[in-house]
Amino acid sequence: SQKKFDEIKKANQAAAKKLVEDQFSSSSSDDDDEDEVKQGKILAKTFTIYASQTDGGASELERTRQYMNEAFQSGAMTCLICIASVKRNQAVWSCCGCFCIFHLVCIQKWAKDSLFLVSSPLMDEEFGKKDYPWPCPKCRFEYKRSETPSRYYCYCGKVENPPLDPWLVPHSCGQICEKEFKPSCGHKCLLLCHPGPCPPCPKMVKTTCHCKKAKPVARRCSAKEWSCCLPCGRMLLCGQHSCENPCHAGDCQPCPRVSRQRCICGRQTAERLCASPQWQCDRVCGKPLSCGNHVCEKVCHAGPCGDCPRSGKRSCPCEKTKFVLPCTEDVPTCGDSCDKVLECGVHKCSQRCHRGPCEICRQEVEKQCRCGKHTKRMPCHKPYLCETKCTKIRDCQKHQCRRKCCPGNCPPCDQVCGRTLGCRNHKCPSGCHRGSCNPCPETVDVKCNCGKTVIKVPCGRERTIKPPKCKQLCSRLPTCHHSTQEKHYCHFGRCPPCRQPCQKMLTCGHLCPVPCHDEALVKQAGLHQSAGPWEQPSEPTFIQTALPCPPCEVPIPVECLGQHEVSPLPCHSASPYSCKRSCGRLLDCQNHTCMKECHHVTKLNTSADGKKAGPECSQCEEECTKPRPPGCPHRCVLPCHPGDCPPCLQMLKIKCHCKLSTLYIECLKLTCADLKEKELLISCKNQCPKELPCGHRCKEICHSGSCPLNCSQKVKLRCLCKRLKKEIQCSKIQEGQVLLECNALCKEMKRKESEIKEAEAKAAIEEEKRRQQ
């Protein structure tokens, strides 16, 4: 269908895109570095308590560290049953013998299949009665049926279904392990819950050496057995020499010295190790026995030879009759029938008592074959096997027995299984069997590109596991113009793009500073034209090509056109430029500057001032704006010009000081006059019309400012009684300098007037009283 076609097409496009990205990408990435940093922090946290007991040393943790590194490394932890990676979020089980990790579901199925095969009714008549063990798929460590895992626990077995924590070792609970050390020393593991074996015990204990001669010293519990290196001195088993080996554990070695030792019978002497003084020679004893007729036939022995074996009661060959005879006479036959049971186990020997073995059974009997299907009359000593082949299926449930005259207990299948294992590389070498084949026992070396870093992985995982990270530097020759490559680690695929500075010589003479661009990825577009709107656009194509060096960006100090500033410009564009400021050069008027935007100025005279305007500058069209002399209200009649303005010859219409007369004065005279001259020029030469404070008119000629207060007008001054008078200058009266006092006559007249007034007042009062009466 169209839907399925579209899905396949998208999948193919995604795979192609990934292939292109992998082809042109570096083998190392920032994510890998972050993962390594995170992994290092987790390992350091796991080993913290152990390192604190060992004063920071963790050299004995290498084996445990390897297991933990595999727990982090992608694809390193592989279930040998299903040949798949063990992920963080999957339930697992760890073998206590080899510490190999399996999926919980896989090991449960493995244990079930193993128990079924071992206790199959075809192989055992007591099916279901025995507690058969099941083995670990890797190390064959046997577990009881009751030890079949049914739940998911952490490595230390404390927490069931441990939660997934990115800051802990996968499948770890994060608690202290606390497992008993092996061999047991009474202490417990101090690491956080971890995969693999527990490290050696880090505790410090006081212990003496093997020979007990040295004083007890403090040593690590895992290495408490130690040697003082002095001679052992213990007596050896030979009883003659002492052990000369340095202080050692266990029993002393056999005495290494050589000495001449006699054999057990004492006839021969030979040089032998002191540790094995007893030895037998190959001579027969030959000593006469107590009967005096025979000699001892034993080979070199110790002690007495014993009685003659032919003395005492002896039986005839058929053991029916006993005789007492001298040791020099042989026992005769009794003449009775032998009657010993023959090899057939059914019939007896019919011969008379005889020496030597009985003959084979020759009686004719009706024999049934081993499988019980046929009978035949034949000699009893001959076995009867029919030619019928057994058609039963063997325990492998695949092949027939095909054994001639099979009694029913068909032997296990003797053919090789030959099924392809889960690794897809090897075939099962075991005998033909039921159930799943054992995991492939082979391991495969996965190497880095240079081959110096190798990791061993279970067979079959080499196609899916990532190659190991190699710390060796890449030794490939550079593909760009550089003589040496930028240092980077060994990797597969293309080397990462060269990031060294290009350093090619540019046309300007500088070296190209940008990263190397000999192998830049360039997108190609327009190569494929679609047949129509129904065709989907294809993915862009990238090619590697050498790009030209970019324009030189080395900063060069360049002065602007108007020589206002010096700015660093890129070398490729280093030419005079406009700084966008106004020109600012002084025009010919010497009053204004050029307002054009920064521009080139031709220097007419090299010795002239560099700030003077040139022919390219603007011309001044302003009026003269120079300040006028103080008091001159007129503008300069000339346009903007250098130097001083010409004298102002216009007439000024101005009021005099007293504001009564209008005067016409040349502006030049007025502006050039000093204060005295100005005072005279502005004066109308008439009497000042202003009144003084005393009320008289100012006697001065028209003047500026306030009138003087020293009034010179003559006024009459009278005494208090107004009888005396005198003419005095007005200014003196204002100043209070002159005062006219009454004389004696004035005082007398004043007294008389006061008396008259008193008399008139009294008369008036009396008149009033009379009226009232």
Side-chain angles (χ1 to χ4, degrees):
S1 64
Q2 183 64 30
K3 184 178 180 181
K4 188 173 183 181
F5 175 77
D6 293 340
E7 290 178 355
I8 296 174
K9 184 177 180 182
K10 288 182 180 179
N12 291 339
Q13 289 177 349
K17 185 176 181 181
K18 184 178 180 182
L19 180 63
V20 172
E21 290 176 354
D22 292 344
Q23 186 176 4
F24 294 108
S25 65
S26 174
S27 62
S28 59
S29 63
D30 294 339
D31 293 340
D32 293 340
D33 295 339
E34 292 178 3
D35 290 343
E36 287 184 1
V37 172
K38 180 179 178 182
Q39 175 181 340
K41 290 181 179 178
I42 296 175
L43 291 180
K45 180 180 177 183
T46 305
F47 297 147
T48 299
I49 301 179
Y50 187 93
S52 65
Q53 294 284 339
T54 58
D55 297 330
S59 59
E60 299 172 345
L61 293 171
E62 291 307 319
R63 189 179 175 199
T64 306
R65 193 190 300 273
Q66 180 181 357
Y67 277 91
M68 297 183 73
N69 285 330
E70 289 179 356
F72 281 107
Q73 187 175 356
S74 175
M77 289 177 60
T78 305
C79 177
L80 295 180
I81 299 175
C82 64
I83 314 297
S85 296
V86 178
K87 298 181 180 178
R88 285 174 171 265
N89 56 352
Q90 293 176 330
V92 297
W93 175 84
S94 176
C95 175
C96 63
C98 61
F99 305 101
C100 189
I101 295 177
F102 306 90
H103 292 121
L104 182 63
V105 177
C106 295
I107 197 64
Q108 288 173 342
K109 184 177 182 299
W110 174 270
K112 183 179 178 181
D113 292 346
S114 299
L115 291 172
F116 179 78
L117 291 176
V118 172
S119 61
S120 173
L122 295 177
M123 299 178 62
D124 199 334
E125 296 177 357
E126 299 181 357
F127 173 66
K129 296 182 180 179
K130 295 182 179 180
D131 187 8
Y132 292 101
W134 56 272
C136 167
K138 183 178 181 182
C139 65
R140 299 298 170 182
F141 183 84
E142 291 188 347
Y143 294 88
K144 297 179 181 179
R145 184 195 295 266
S146 59
E147 294 177 338
T148 302
S150 59
R151 296 180 181 179
Y152 169 40
Y153 287 94
C154 62
Y155 297 115
C156 65
K158 295 179 183 177
V159 179
E160 183 179 352
N161 296 321
L164 180 62
D165 190 337
W167 288 101
L168 290 177
V169 179
H171 317 292
S172 170
C173 65
Q175 301 180 27
I176 298 178
C177 177
E178 292 187 343
K179 286 183 181 178
E180 292 285 344
F181 286 113
K182 293 182 181 179
S184 179
C185 63
H187 302 126
K188 295 181 179 180
C189 180
L190 301 175
L191 295 184
L192 299 185
C193 181
H194 62 89
C198 294
C201 181
K203 296 286 187 180
M204 300 298 290
V205 294
K206 278 197 171 184
T207 180
T208 186
C209 63
H210 300 297
C211 65
K212 312 297 182 184
K213 293 180 180 179
K215 293 181 179 180
V217 295
R219 292 180 62 85
R220 194 71 54 79
C221 182
S222 58
K224 59 184 177 182
E225 300 289 337
W226 63 285
S227 172
C228 64
C229 297
L230 297 175
C232 175
R234 284 184 284 184
M235 185 61 66
L236 298 177
L237 294 177
C238 66
Q240 299 178 5
H241 308 107
S242 59
C243 180
E244 296 179 356
N245 292 331
C247 176
H248 60 85
D251 295 332
C252 297
Q253 295 180 358
C255 184
R257 297 190 180 185
V258 177
S259 61
R260 296 189 65 82
Q261 305 281 349
R262 286 186 177 275
C263 64
I264 295 176
C265 65
R267 294 183 180 181
Q268 289 188 359
T269 304
E271 287 189 353
R272 294 182 59 83
L273 291 174
C274 188
S276 56
Q278 292 189 351
W279 61 285
Q280 282 184 318
C281 64
D282 54 356
R283 291 186 180 183
V284 178
C285 179
K287 291 180 180 179
L289 298 177
S290 58
C291 65
N293 300 318
H294 302 96
V295 293
C296 180
E297 297 179 356
K298 295 179 183 179
V299 179
C300 180
H301 65 87
C305 295
D307 297 331
C308 179
R310 296 168 64 90
S311 61
K313 289 184 179 181
R314 287 181 286 170
S315 299
C316 65
C318 67
E319 297 183 352
K320 290 181 179 180
T321 306
K322 292 186 177 181
F323 300 92
V324 178
L325 298 173
C327 65
T328 56
E329 296 182 10
D330 295 331
V331 178
T333 57
C334 64
D336 198 357
S337 59
C338 180
D339 286 341
K340 288 182 180 178
V341 180
L342 298 177
E343 291 181 356
C344 65
V346 178
H347 303 105
K348 295 182 179 181
C349 181
S350 59
Q351 292 182 356
R352 290 185 180 276
C353 179
H354 62 87
R355 292 182 176 86
C358 299
E359 294 184 349
I360 58 176
C361 184
R362 299 183 183 276
Q363 292 191 35
E364 291 277 336
V365 293
E366 191 78 18
K367 269 199 169 187
Q368 191 177 26
C369 66
R370 191 166 56 185
C371 64
K373 294 181 179 180
H374 304 279
T375 58
K376 185 179 180 181
R377 194 162 186 86
M378 59 187 303
C380 181
H381 71 277
K382 290 184 178 181
Y384 176 38
L385 299 176
C386 68
E387 298 296 324
T388 304
K389 293 183 178 180
C390 181
T391 58
K392 289 183 179 180
I393 302 298
R394 295 194 179 187
D395 58 348
C396 65
Q397 298 295 309
K398 292 181 181 180
H399 304 107
Q400 289 183 341
C401 178
R402 306 301 293 169
R403 190 171 62 158
K404 290 181 180 180
C405 196
C406 180
N409 56 341
C410 301
C413 185
D414 55 356
Q415 297 189 37
V416 178
C417 176
R419 285 186 290 180
T420 302
L421 297 177
C423 65
R424 305 296 179 189
N425 295 328
H426 304 98
K427 293 185 178 181
C428 180
S430 304
C432 189
H433 58 85
R434 285 189 298 169
S436 302
C437 298
N438 292 336
C440 181
E442 301 292 332
T443 56
V444 180
D445 290 343
V446 178
K447 300 181 179 180
C448 65
N449 189 39
C450 67
K452 294 183 179 179
T453 304
V454 182
I455 59 173
K456 290 185 179 294
V457 298
C459 182
R461 290 292 294 164
E462 68 275 7
R463 293 184 290 270
T464 57
I465 195 171
K466 289 183 179 179
K469 292 181 182 178
C470 179
K471 296 301 182 182
Q472 300 293 328
L473 295 178
C474 180
S475 59
R476 298 181 186 176
L477 295 176
T479 55
C480 59
H481 67 278
H482 291 104
S483 59
T484 57
Q485 274 206 83
E486 190 178 16
K487 291 184 179 180
H488 61 278
Y489 293 131
C490 169
H491 61 91
F492 288 94
R494 291 178 176 269
C495 290
C498 180
R499 292 177 291 184
Q500 299 181 76
C502 177
Q503 297 296 305
K504 286 183 180 179
M505 183 68 72
L506 302 176
T507 55
C508 61
H510 296 117
L511 298 178
C512 180
V514 299
C516 181
H517 45 83
D518 286 353
E519 295 178 338
L521 286 178
V522 178
K523 179 180 177 182
Q524 280 191 326
L527 297 179
H528 175 73
Q529 294 183 353
S530 59
W534 60 85
E535 185 176 354
Q536 294 184 358
S538 60
E539 293 292 330
T541 304
F542 292 90
I543 61 170
Q544 276 192 337
T545 183
L547 297 178
C549 292
C552 182
E553 297 290 338
V554 176
I556 301 296
V558 179
E559 192 175 32
C560 68
L561 293 169
Q563 300 178 352
H564 302 113
E565 65 178 22
V566 176
S567 297
L569 295 182
C571 180
H572 71 277
S573 60
S575 59
Y577 64 99
S578 173
C579 64
K580 305 301 180 182
R581 301 179 188 175
S582 60
C583 176
R585 292 177 179 269
L586 190 63
L587 299 178
D588 293 337
C589 67
Q590 301 295 317
N591 299 320
H592 299 97
T593 56
C594 178
M595 299 305 295
K596 280 187 177 181
E597 187 180 289
C598 178
H599 60 88
H600 175 69
V601 178
T602 303
K603 292 184 179 180
L604 299 177
N605 188 0
T606 55
S607 63
D609 186 8
K611 296 298 182 180
K612 191 174 182 181
E616 294 84 4
C617 294
S618 59
Q619 298 296 324
C620 183
E621 297 176 356
E622 300 286 334
E623 295 180 350
C624 179
T625 57
K626 290 183 179 181
R628 306 297 292 163
C632 178
H634 308 108
R635 289 186 175 183
C636 180
V637 294
L638 299 178
C640 187
H641 59 86
D644 296 333
C645 296
C648 182
L649 301 178
Q650 297 189 47
M651 299 298 289
L652 279 176
K653 184 180 179 182
I654 190 171
K655 291 282 187 180
C656 65
H657 298 302
C658 57
K659 309 298 182 184
L660 297 178
S661 302
T662 301
L663 303 177
Y664 290 92
I665 307 172
E666 284 186 6
C667 183
L668 177 62
K669 289 182 179 180
L670 185 63
T671 55
C672 292
D674 55 8
L675 291 178
K676 261 187 180 181
E677 291 176 350
K678 279 185 180 181
E679 186 75 18
L680 292 175
L681 288 173
I682 301 176
S683 176
C684 61
K685 305 299 190 288
N686 296 322
Q687 185 182 354
C688 179
K690 297 178 184 177
E691 286 188 359
L692 298 176
C694 60
H696 301 113
R697 184 177 176 180
C698 180
K699 299 294 183 179
E700 298 289 335
I701 297 173
C702 178
H703 62 87
S704 63
S706 300
C707 295
L709 298 179
N710 53 346
C711 180
S712 59
Q713 183 74 26
K714 295 289 186 176
V715 294
K716 291 179 179 182
L717 180 64
R718 293 179 180 272
C719 65
L720 293 176
C721 65
K722 307 294 184 183
R723 191 181 71 83
L724 298 176
K725 63 179 179 180
K726 186 180 179 180
E727 285 188 354
I728 303 174
Q729 195 173 351
C730 180
S731 60
K732 292 182 178 181
I733 296 175
Q734 295 296 328
E735 294 174 359
Q737 297 178 0
V738 180
L739 182 64
L740 186 60
E741 296 180 358
C742 293
N743 54 14
L745 183 60
C746 290
K747 292 178 180 180
E748 183 65 26
M749 290 178 66
K750 191 175 180 179
R751 184 181 62 76
K752 288 180 179 181
E753 285 179 0
S754 61
E755 289 177 356
I756 294 172
K757 285 181 180 180
E758 289 178 359
E760 289 178 354
K762 285 181 180 182
I765 293 171
E766 290 177 356
E767 184 67 28
E768 185 67 31
K769 287 180 179 180
R770 284 195 301 270
R771 288 179 182 175
Q772 291 179 355
Q773 292 177 359

